[in-house]
Amino acid sequence: MGGLPWQYVFPVGSYSLDTCNGVEWCQRIDAKLLQRAMKKAVRVAGIVKWAAPHTLRHFFVTHLPERGQDIRTIQELLGHKDVATTMIYTPVMNKGGRSVGSPLNM
């Protein structure tokens, strides 16, 4: 997939061809398929705590401040139009990483 314009973390396994212009493209994986895969992975790993794909997003975001990322960068990464939406994570972020653990370990 080198050099192709899509940036999905979980693309589908096949490509589609646009019949109008002949451009090859890739779609993201269906949300239900990802949820099922995550549920299976959690079970196989022996994790007893509930976890879903959004758990990974939350884990990623809560650890960015530990790496020195500012709120505007985090806002952009999450795709939030309003920084107020991103600020929902600030109570966790303001702990400086010392008390932030993996949601899978809690």
Side-chain angles (χ1 to χ4, degrees), residues 43-89:
R43 185 180 70 247
V44 169
I47 299 169
V48 294
K49 175 104 175 149
W50 179 86
H54 191 80
T55 307
L56 300 176
R57 178 180 169 94
H58 181 77
F59 179 79
F60 171 72
V61 172
T62 56
H63 285 76
L64 287 175
E66 295 171 18
R67 294 180 172 89
Q69 296 299 322
D70 63 278
I71 193 72
R72 294 291 181 182
T73 302
I74 296 168
Q75 174 190 1
E76 185 177 330
L77 287 170
L78 293 175
H80 294 157
K81 291 181 181 177
D82 188 343
V83 74
T85 306
T86 309
M87 295 297 284
I88 292 168
Y89 291 95

Side-chain angles (χ1 to χ4, degrees), residues 86-100:
T86 309
M87 295 297 284
I88 292 168
Y89 291 95
T90 58
V92 176
M93 290 177 182
N94 288 336
K95 294 180 182 178
R98 288 176 299 281
S99 61
V100 177

Side-chain angles (χ1 to χ4, degrees), residues 34-47 51 56:
L34 180 59
Q35 290 167 354
R36 282 189 220 124
M38 177 82 177
K39 185 175 182 179
K40 181 179 178 181
V42 167
R43 185 180 70 247
V44 169
I47 299 169
L56 300 176

